[in-house]
Amino acid sequence: MTTYSNTRDVRENSGAEGAVDSATTAKQGANKGRLATASMVGTTLEWYDFTVYNTLAALVFNHLFFPSVDPLAGTILALSTYAVGYVSRPLGGFVFGNLGDKIGRRAVLVLTLVVMGLTTGLMGLLPTYASIGIWSPVLLVALRFVQGVALGGEWAGAVLLSVEHGDQKKRGLNASWTQVGPSFGTLLATGLIALITLSISPDDFLTWGWRVPFLLSLVLVAFGLWVRRGVEETPMFEEMQHSDRQAEMPIADVFRKHWRNLLVAGGSRIGSDVLYALMVVFTLTYVTGTLHLSRPLALTAVLVGTAFNALTVPLFGALSDKLGRRPVYGFGVLCAVIWAYGFFVLLDTSSPALIVLSVVIGLVIHAIMYGPQAAFVTEQFPTRVRYAGSSLAYTLAGILGGGFAPLIIVSLYKEYGTTFAVSLYVTAALAVTAIALFAARETAHQPLRD
């Protein structure tokens, strides 16, 4: 009787332990999913906002906000206000970088998400030049500036949320979920604008249709806040906080002690940002303005290319966990240099299928660099200044790379009337990234610096 009872107790205990293990595994799976979504949602909103602006700047803002100049010059002015959102980012990097290393990753991410969403929603309510004259572009620039400040603190925190929480052997994959956000944001924005342009007349689009994508960003904000409220502070930050190892002035420490890492991390971003601007922004201007093909074709090419980008970014992030950040990243740079010239060969055929293919190839090449990038940048800095260092690298490089890239590309094409000048510019930006990779140490198989 005793033997039977003991055996039954063992079975019951084993069953209970199995149930607990199953519940724990299920909870961990749910947490990983929520963590990936929390990391992704901010950059999704960021690039949704920026893609809406980029697309409308390339297509209609020259009529709505800068109607007194010729079409190409109006496009350049519209893209100049786009650059304001990048110029203001370092201010956000300074402010939120300090806060992220002092009060925590999670609190800063909630704040930046709210500011991003509200400024984008307000853009959708702006009066046009026809209603209030010069105050219309002035208000647009002001909103872009505030939005850029919030964006300056978003990316690094989103990456750290996944890198400092997750499996340290899969930092490339975990960090890449933040990098998927831009593709999802671009996909959502481009798909929505394509749907609107197909559903209403061009006159209605100019009158009110352009406002809809801006206002719908508020839905993403609400979802993002719900997701992030369920994610705890990262264990690495909490451990640092409890052991009283926080930096008194994280930004100052980055410039004083980690300036070389800042140059490496920032330089690594420039080439990929310029390539992305070429594929996603200039494609719209070139296909509609130079080749005189339809707006839906240009949007479709970007839409399909972005979908492939979203699918392949995690693959290359995971590959960098096995092969290393630098080999994967460097291969992407080499492919991008080649494609900076091949891209226009396909575009100039004016074949819809080849135009779509050219953007798809370009954005898959971008994913080769973008997949390992988030882990590579954050791995350059120790925990006590990781938020500040990553934010500064992201925002300062963003000015040189993504911020002015659309403006420079369009201006070069306007000045020289040839795509060769554009290809040379993209090559120069990729050369900066190649130098940064050469100067860096491999970090994929090393523990995070502390």
Side-chain angles (χ1 to χ4, degrees):
M1 191 71 172
T2 302
T3 302
Y4 171 77
S5 177
N6 289 341
T7 303
R8 183 180 65 184
D9 288 345
V10 168
R11 284 199 198 120
E12 288 176 351
N13 289 339
S14 299
E17 289 171 2
V20 170
D21 289 342
S22 298
T24 301
T25 302
K27 183 177 180 181
Q28 287 174 344
N31 287 342
K32 287 180 181 178
R34 192 174 190 117
L35 191 61
T37 305
S39 299
M40 194 189 308
V41 71
T43 48
T44 299
L45 175 62
E46 170 187 351
W47 280 91
Y48 172 89
D49 295 347
F50 266 44
T51 303
V52 166
Y53 187 90
N54 294 347
T55 305
L56 296 179
L59 299 178
V60 297
F61 273 12
N62 55 340
H63 302 293
L64 295 171
F65 295 97
F66 308 96
S68 60
V69 293
D70 70 84
L72 189 55
T75 300
I76 291 173
L77 286 173
L79 293 174
S80 296
T81 60
Y82 162 81
V84 169
Y86 274 90
V87 173
S88 59
R89 283 186 177 197
L91 177 59
F94 276 89
V95 174
F96 294 114
N98 262 319
L99 289 175
D101 283 325
K102 292 180 78 67
I103 68 173
R105 291 35 169 149
R106 182 176 174 273
V108 171
L109 284 175
V110 170
L111 178 58
T112 55
L113 189 69
V114 170
V115 176
M116 276 196 301
L118 289 179
T119 51
T120 306
L122 287 173
M123 285 181 193
L125 300 175
L126 274 180
T128 62
Y129 189 93
S131 300
I132 60 172
I134 190 64
W135 284 107
S136 179
V138 168
L139 290 173
L140 181 64
V141 170
L143 288 174
R144 290 289 296 168
F145 185 87
V146 175
Q147 185 187 60
V149 171
L151 293 176
E154 167 64 34
W155 181 84
V159 175
L160 296 187
L161 205 63
S162 57
V163 167
E164 294 183 349
H165 260 296
D167 184 346
Q168 293 301 294
K169 294 181 180 179
K170 298 180 179 179
R171 291 196 303 262
L173 174 61
N174 293 337
S176 72
W177 293 118
T178 304
Q179 304 293 77
V180 173
S183 297
F184 277 159
T186 303
L187 198 62
L188 284 172
T190 307
L192 180 59
I193 293 172
L195 179 62
I196 294 171
T197 56
L198 291 171
S199 303
I200 63 177
S201 68
D203 288 340
D204 284 340
F205 187 79
L206 275 173
T207 303
W208 58 268
W210 66 272
R211 299 181 183 276
V212 175
F214 285 112
L215 296 173
L216 286 180
S217 70
L218 297 174
V219 177
L220 272 176
V221 174
F223 174 71
L225 288 175
W226 174 75
V227 171
R228 284 185 172 174
R229 283 185 62 187
V231 175
E232 297 176 354
E233 183 55 78
T234 71
M236 289 186 182
F237 177 82
E238 289 185 332
E239 181 183 347
M240 178 184 68
Q241 194 175 39
H242 292 153
S243 60
D244 198 26
R245 290 183 287 111
Q246 290 169 272
E248 289 295 323
M249 301 179 67
I251 295 292
D253 279 6
V254 170
F255 283 112
R256 189 172 63 251
K257 300 177 182 178
H258 307 285
W259 59 269
R260 186 180 183 278
N261 303 86
L262 182 62
L263 290 175
V264 166
S268 71
R269 285 185 44 84
I270 291 175
S272 62
D273 279 5
V274 172
L275 180 69
Y276 195 82
L278 176 68
M279 295 296 132
V280 175
V281 183
F282 187 65
T283 295
L284 300 174
T285 301
Y286 191 77
V287 169
T288 59
T290 301
L291 301 179
H292 303 293
L293 299 174
S294 69
R295 184 185 301 168
L297 171 61
L299 291 171
T300 299
V302 172
L303 192 67
V304 175
T306 303
F308 276 88
N309 186 266
L311 291 172
T312 52
V313 161
L315 295 179
F316 292 112
L319 188 62
S320 75
D321 286 326
K322 297 182 180 297
L323 303 181
R325 313 285 183 237
R326 296 169 72 215
V328 176
Y329 212 139
F331 179 69
V333 171
L334 178 62
C335 292
V337 170
I338 297 170
W339 200 240
Y341 301 89
F343 174 64
F344 289 107
V345 174
L346 292 190
L347 283 189
D348 288 339
T349 64
S350 294
S351 164
L354 291 180
I355 288 172
V356 173
L357 179 63
S358 67
V359 179
V360 168
I361 294 173
L363 287 177
V364 169
I365 291 172
H366 173 266
I368 300 174
M369 296 183 285
Y370 211 57
Q373 185 182 95
F376 177 82
V377 169
T378 55
E379 286 167 351
Q380 303 304 312
F381 303 98
T383 305
R384 65 200 307 266
V385 296
R386 190 170 293 132
Y387 204 128
S390 301
S391 292
L392 288 175
Y394 177 77
T395 56
L396 294 174
I399 296 177
L400 299 175
F404 287 107
L407 176 62
I408 293 172
I409 289 171
V410 174
S411 298
L412 285 171
Y413 185 70
K414 179 178 172 64
E415 177 69 22
Y416 296 102
T418 172
T419 59
F420 187 70
V422 173
S423 298
L424 284 177
Y425 165 61
V426 176
T427 301
L430 289 164
V432 174
T433 293
I435 293 170
L437 291 175
F438 181 79
R441 63 187 181 89
E442 182 55 65
T443 54
H445 306 124
Q446 302 296 323
L448 282 177
R449 298 173 62 195
D450 203 358

